[in-house]
Amino acid sequence: FNPFGAPALYIGRPFGTEAGTVDETSDSRTVRAAAGIVWDISSNWRSEVSYVYGENEFDLTFNDILLDGFFQPGTNFVVDEYNAFATSITNPSLANSREFVASLSTVVPISLESNLHVLEAGVSGSLAISGDLEVGIAGGVQYRRNEASLDAGELINSPGNVLFIFPIDDFGPESVDVYAAYAEVGVPITSKLNLQAAVRYENYGGGIGDTVDPKFALTFDASDSVTLRGSVGTSFRAPTPLQISGQTTQTVPIVNPCSGQRLASSVLTNGNSELTPEDATTATLGFAFERNDIRLSLDYWSYDYDNVITRESAEALVANAACIEVAPGVAVPVADGISLNPLTSQISQIEVDFINAGSIETDGIDLKIGKTFSLDDLGTLDLELSGTLITIFDVQETPNSPTVDRLDSRNITSFTRSTPDLRANLRASWNMGGHQVTAFVRYIDDYTDDLNNDRRIDSYTSLDLQYAYVFGEGGTGLTDGLRLQAGALNLTDEQPPFVNDRGGFDALVHDPRGRLLYVGLTKQF
């Protein structure tokens, strides 16, 4: 089929439109069951024992090309029956037949399963200290078992079977057992000042270890309209069985820093048995005001994360690779974890690990303001504006690297995620009798695409609208309490801002589905 009369190197998809559409499916099945017993020990004390079981099975199927049918045995030369050229346009008899395409195509299944057992026992009550003031007390113990497994199937357990998906090993079942104890106390220091103090101990065993995390919160009723509040505490997140022992693979478009080309590459992520827990210190400070149907709240928050558990960024690894010239005018990226195709010198695989990265320090402000208006015979109108402004997002990629300001960036070359600095919602709700009309205007600010020459990703505004009718609210008839609703998400069918990457949008920030219409029926008994 080669019209050039000389050896040709082909870089591209094995098949075009003659292969028809490709189906890649995912199927998720989740089961959750909970049971518990609560009994009163006395008028002020009660105890509880509960058990929760959760299970998820997640099946993925990919389409791929069978290597033993595509290449001549032991070579990188395609079989004689395959036509990679456009000669079939002028001579349809030279096109790859449907039967030939079907003989090379295969479905590659991957199955993941996880389950969780939680057994907990606790007691809670109150102690009178003076007058109407009571100290609330709660405490308990908990056991959790988290188990996970992955079955990749024979086709991708071993190399050399399929063209695009690199081999990964089956995993598990692996499990983590957690033993925990907790205590909490609510102390009314005065009739207006309340202290909440809590502490939690968790033991993960093995190389993960244990942790003690306290939290303290204060609320002060400065007046009938104003409440001041603040809190400080620590938290803890242990690695999952998959992050410790598992392995995952995916195909990602990667920009070759030496050529500027964007080509699909396999990213293999390995588990890491040396992972240590991620921990955080959190603090909040704010106030709430409410008077004459006016509501206002303002809260400052600060989260400091250390030893963040994440996967290494394949994009960052490639972007920081050294470009080594292997032939006149031909340079290739070289770094630990990068594998190159020996024929094309293009990136074929990037191998990364789950790691403990450095730290993230992020601060911001939450604002909410609202008012309810009486429209007399026309019902009521409630308006509310809420938003979050991130003021600091400083990231340390590794424990020994410098701190970098990652605010207002897509952060594709970092282990973090996209961080537009402002998100806001405006809600308007009209109620009259059983009629309810609610509209949401949702706004996401613009931000920088650090993978594409710091191009700005546009801001995004969408409109949601819902109408609902409640029948006989508060009644006891068959239709009383019945709520019928219909609405639209993204009513004006706004498209997500363009991003020069796979799919053309940022999947971590924007929804590409366009207008969604829905109806619902709810009955309360």
Side-chain angles (χ1 to χ4, degrees):
F1 300 110
N2 185 349
F4 300 114
L9 176 65
Y10 174 67
I11 303 174
R13 300 188 180 194
F15 299 107
T17 56
E18 71 267 34
T21 58
V22 174
D23 292 328
E24 295 185 355
T25 63
S26 62
D27 180 23
S28 179
R29 298 174 300 281
T30 300
V31 175
R32 182 180 184 273
I37 300 174
V38 180
W39 68 95
D40 293 330
I41 302 173
S42 68
S43 59
N44 292 333
W45 291 88
R46 66 166 39 186
S47 58
E48 180 177 359
V49 175
S50 64
Y51 171 72
V52 176
Y53 174 76
E55 177 182 286
N56 177 253
E57 296 179 4
F58 193 71
D59 296 329
L60 302 170
T61 58
F62 302 92
N63 291 82
D64 212 326
I65 301 297
L66 290 168
L67 285 176
D68 58 1
F70 189 61
F71 291 117
Q72 297 179 20
T75 74
N76 282 314
F77 296 101
V78 297
V79 294
D80 292 337
E81 295 87 351
Y82 173 64
N83 182 4
F85 303 95
T87 51
S88 59
I89 294 177
T90 57
N91 186 355
S93 66
L94 299 180
N96 296 303
S97 68
R98 292 273 184 179
E99 294 75 18
F100 176 68
V101 173
S103 71
L104 296 185
S105 302
T106 187
V107 173
V108 181
I110 298 178
S111 297
L112 301 97
E113 183 175 344
S114 64
N115 57 63
L116 176 69
H117 303 264
V118 182
L119 181 62
E120 186 168 351
V123 62
S124 61
S126 61
L127 295 174
I129 53 175
S130 66
D132 296 331
L133 300 182
E134 292 186 343
V135 174
I137 301 173
V141 294
Q142 184 188 78
Y143 166 75
R144 300 195 309 274
R145 181 179 180 87
N146 185 5
E147 187 174 85
S149 62
L150 182 147
D151 182 5
E154 295 182 2
L155 274 174
I156 53 175
N157 283 155
S158 303
N161 289 326
V162 291
L163 184 59
F164 288 108
I165 301 177
F166 278 73
I168 59 174
D169 297 325
D170 291 344
F171 154 69
E174 296 284 345
S175 62
V176 173
D177 295 291
V178 185
Y179 300 88
Y182 58 89
E184 184 175 353
V185 59
V187 181
I189 300 174
T190 70
S191 61
K192 294 182 177 295
L193 181 62
N194 289 274
L195 168 67
Q196 182 187 36
V199 63
R200 185 177 184 91
Y201 169 78
E202 292 201 348
N203 189 318
Y204 286 77
I208 299 176
D210 57 5
T211 179
V212 177
D213 292 294
K215 179 181 179 180
F216 301 92
L218 279 172
T219 58
F220 176 59
D221 295 326
S223 70
D224 292 340
S225 304
V226 178
T227 299
L228 307 179
R229 58 199 180 195
S231 68
V232 62
T234 65
S235 58
F236 174 92
R237 184 168 75 98
T240 67
L242 180 65
Q243 292 168 336
I244 294 173
S245 307
Q247 195 177 54
T248 64
T249 184
Q250 61 184 133
T251 301
V252 176
I254 296 291
V255 175
N256 187 326
C258 307
S259 66
Q261 288 179 303
R262 185 191 303 271
L263 294 175
S265 302
S266 173
V267 176
L268 184 69
T269 306
N270 296 308
N272 181 358
S273 61
E274 302 298 319
L275 285 177
T276 59
E278 172 183 328
D279 57 83
T281 301
T282 63
T284 64
L285 182 64
F287 74 91
F289 168 86
E290 186 168 355
R291 178 187 290 176
N292 298 331
D293 295 324
I294 297 176
R295 307 177 304 276
L296 172 65
S297 66
L298 180 68
D299 291 282
Y300 163 81
W301 48 263
S302 173
Y303 303 149
D304 291 345
Y305 300 91
D306 287 317
N307 300 317
V308 177
I309 298 173
T310 184
R311 70 178 72 218
E312 291 179 285
S313 169
E315 292 84 354
L317 187 152
V318 172
N320 294 321
C323 290
I324 305 298
E325 191 172 43
V326 294
V330 179
V332 298
V334 175
D336 291 340
I338 295 179
S339 298
L340 303 175
N341 185 309
L343 289 179
T344 65
S345 297
Q346 298 291 345
I347 299 171
S348 60
Q349 185 184 35
I350 306 160
E351 192 166 351
V352 296
D353 298 322
F354 285 107
I355 60 168
N356 284 112
S359 62
I360 301 174
E361 178 184 347
T362 179
D363 295 15
I365 297 171
D366 289 340
L367 172 68
K368 184 178 293 185
I369 182 170
K371 179 174 173 58
T372 302
F373 299 88
S374 174
L375 305 178
D376 298 325
D377 294 340
L378 296 179
T380 60
L381 176 64
D382 188 76
L383 300 178
E384 184 175 271
L385 174 66
S386 61
T388 295
L389 175 67
I390 304 175
T391 56
I392 296 175
F393 195 80
D394 293 339
V395 177
Q396 187 184 33
E397 298 288 339
T398 66
N400 298 317
S401 65
T403 299
V404 178
D405 180 5
R406 289 282 185 175
L407 183 60
D408 190 41
S409 173
R410 187 180 169 208
N411 289 326
I412 198 71
T413 56
S414 170
F415 69 84
T416 57
R417 59 178 294 157
S418 304
T419 54
D421 56 7
L422 176 64
R423 297 173 186 248
N425 295 327
L426 176 63
R427 175 180 61 83
S429 298
W430 173 73
N431 293 268
M432 187 180 73
H435 300 278
Q436 301 173 355
V437 178
T438 303
F440 274 97
V441 178
R442 306 184 186 275
Y443 174 80
I444 302 174
D445 206 7
D446 62 340
Y447 55 104
T448 298
D449 187 352
D450 57 322
L451 187 64
N452 292 288
N453 300 315
D454 288 339
R455 176 188 177 274
R456 297 298 289 180
I457 299 172
D458 293 338
S459 61
Y460 179 73
T461 304
S462 63
L463 171 65
D464 299 346
L465 186 64
Q466 181 191 95
Y467 168 77
Y469 184 77
V470 180
F471 296 84
E473 191 170 6
T476 58
L478 181 62
T479 60
D480 291 337
L482 190 68
R483 187 175 193 270
L484 176 65
Q485 64 184 27
L489 304 178
N490 190 4
L491 178 65
T492 57
D493 198 26
E494 298 296 325
Q495 298 302 304
F498 174 73
V499 175
N500 187 22
D501 204 344
R502 177 176 55 177
F505 67 98
D506 186 348
L508 296 179
V509 176
H510 302 114
D511 188 338
R513 295 176 295 176
R515 182 189 301 112
L516 293 175
L517 306 178
Y518 64 90
V519 295
L521 188 64
T522 305
K523 169 64 177 173
Q524 292 185 344
F525 298 92

